[in-house]
Each structure stands twice: as C-alpha cells, then as structure tokens.
C-alpha cells in the first residue's frame, strides 16, 4: 500500500524535513519516492480539487504554491491509517502531542504536512507528483523485524 505525504512550505522553511521523515522511518515505513519542488498552480488545483469553493481554498492554494515543499511516497502495510495517525488532527492546535502536527504546528492554515486520507485519495494524488518510474522498489534491511 502507498500514500502521498507533502511536507508543506512551512515545514521546509522551518527546517522540519529531517525530523518529519524520521517519524516515518522510525515507525518502520518505507519512503519510495522523494522530491523537493515548487508546486505550480495547476497541480495545486488538481491536488486540492475536493476543497474548491470552500472559504479557505484560495489561501490554501497561495500557501501551497508559495515556496518549496517536499513530496514523498510512503509505503507499508496499513500505511494510510498509520501515517494519518502519525500526522495528527488537521488543526495543529488540537492535534495530540506526539503527532507531527501536535508537536510542530499551532494552527490549521500552516499545518506543516499533508497525507492522503484514503486509498482512493492516494491513487488520485500520487500521480500529480510522481511518474511511476520515480517510485522505487527496494527492501529495508530490517524488514524481517518489522
Ligand atoms: P490538508 O490535510 O493538506 O488538507 C486541506 C488543507 O486545507 C488542510 O490540510 C489545511 O492546510 C487547509 N485548511 C485551512 N482551513 C481548513 C479548514 N477549515 N478545514 C480543513 N482544512 C483547512
């Protein structure tokens, strides 16, 4: 199973990339694609199409396209549910301590990270950021212990 994770512009600007990726590695998940990129408006609109028309849609697009972000594909059994738990509630002010947003974010606008909310969303979102050939196959050396 695969999921899409974005470390949003505030995460990159605040130098939280290493700390965030470590959460996934430490949990036993596998990063199989990774890139630093500035998202263009067209792709941002596609990624957040489900939020079109909502009051925060325009500011969300401005924020996500404002500066570089890190996109990655994370793989592992039940990774969608596991990653969502690690990420925490959408609003950093309400996210539990110990989660990524709970530890590093205080609000809902700049909430540091995005993770696909279902398998269907992951299948829609991943191709917006990665060609299939950019998603690599390898084994973790500790796989038998996970
Ligand atoms: P994300 O998980 O990327 O999905 C949509 C994003 O919209 C969300 O994180 C927040 O960054 C942003 N957002 C801003 N306001 C809201 C809101 N009221 N409800 C949900 N998402 C919001």
């Amino acid at each position: 199973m695969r999921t899409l994770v974005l470390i949003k512009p505030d995460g990159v600007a605040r130098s939280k990339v290493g700390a965030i990726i470590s959460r996934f590695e430490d949990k036993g998940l596998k990063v199989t694609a990774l890139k630093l990129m500035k998202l263009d408006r067209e792709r941002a609109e596609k990624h957040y199409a489900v939020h079109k028309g909502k009051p925060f849609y325009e500011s969300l697009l401005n924020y996500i396209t404002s500066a570089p972000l890190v996109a990655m594909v994370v793989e592992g059994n039940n990774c969608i549910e596991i990653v969502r738990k690690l990420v925490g509630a959408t609003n950093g002010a309400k996210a539990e301590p110990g989660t990524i947003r709970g530890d590093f974010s205080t609000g809902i606008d700049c909430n540091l990270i995005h993770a696909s909310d279902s398998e269907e969303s992951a299948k829609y979102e991943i191709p917006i950021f990665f060609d299939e050939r950019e998603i690599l196959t390898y084994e973790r050396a500790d796989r038998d212990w996970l």
Side-chain angles (χ1 to χ4, degrees):
M1 182 188 279
R2 289 172 173 174
T3 190
L4 179 83
V5 172
L6 303 177
I7 303 175
K8 297 179 181 180
D10 49 328
V12 175
R14 293 177 55 207
S15 302
K16 298 298 179 204
V17 174
I20 291 172
I21 293 177
S22 289
R23 300 278 174 117
F24 303 125
E25 290 180 328
D26 290 348
K27 184 70 176 171
L29 299 171
K30 191 162 62 173
V31 176
T32 55
L34 184 69
K35 67 170 77 156
L36 177 71
M37 62 190 290
K38 195 147 182 285
L39 195 61
D40 57 57
R41 171 106 192 172
E42 194 185 333
R43 277 198 279 187
E45 282 178 2
K46 192 165 180 197
H47 177 68
Y48 281 130
V50 68
H51 294 299
K52 191 166 183 181
K54 294 187 184 164
F56 57 86
Y57 178 69
E58 273 306 318
S59 62
L60 176 61
L61 288 195
N62 288 338
Y63 153 59
I64 205 74
T65 57
S66 64
L69 57 72
V70 168
M72 64 185 125
V73 175
V74 175
E75 293 188 16
N77 289 337
N78 299 316
C79 66
I80 291 174
E81 188 188 345
I82 292 169
V83 168
R84 296 279 292 184
K85 276 194 178 152
L86 292 174
V87 164
T90 307
N91 187 340
K94 295 190 177 151
E96 290 293 323
T99 65
I100 294 167
R101 287 176 178 150
D103 287 350
F104 299 129
S105 157
T106 59
I108 198 164
D109 295 318
C110 289
N111 65 352
L112 218 67
I113 186 163
H114 166 88
S116 307
D117 63 6
S118 65
E119 241 180 301
E120 193 189 3
S121 300
K123 284 194 177 117
Y124 173 80
E125 293 172 359
I126 289 170
I128 298 171
F129 293 85
F130 295 99
D131 292 334
E132 196 54 40
R133 65 184 145 77
E134 294 176 300
I135 304 171
L136 304 185
T137 302
Y138 69 98
E139 296 297 341
R140 286 180 59 127
D142 57 359
R143 67 168 190 259
D144 293 341
W145 302 98
L146 295 166

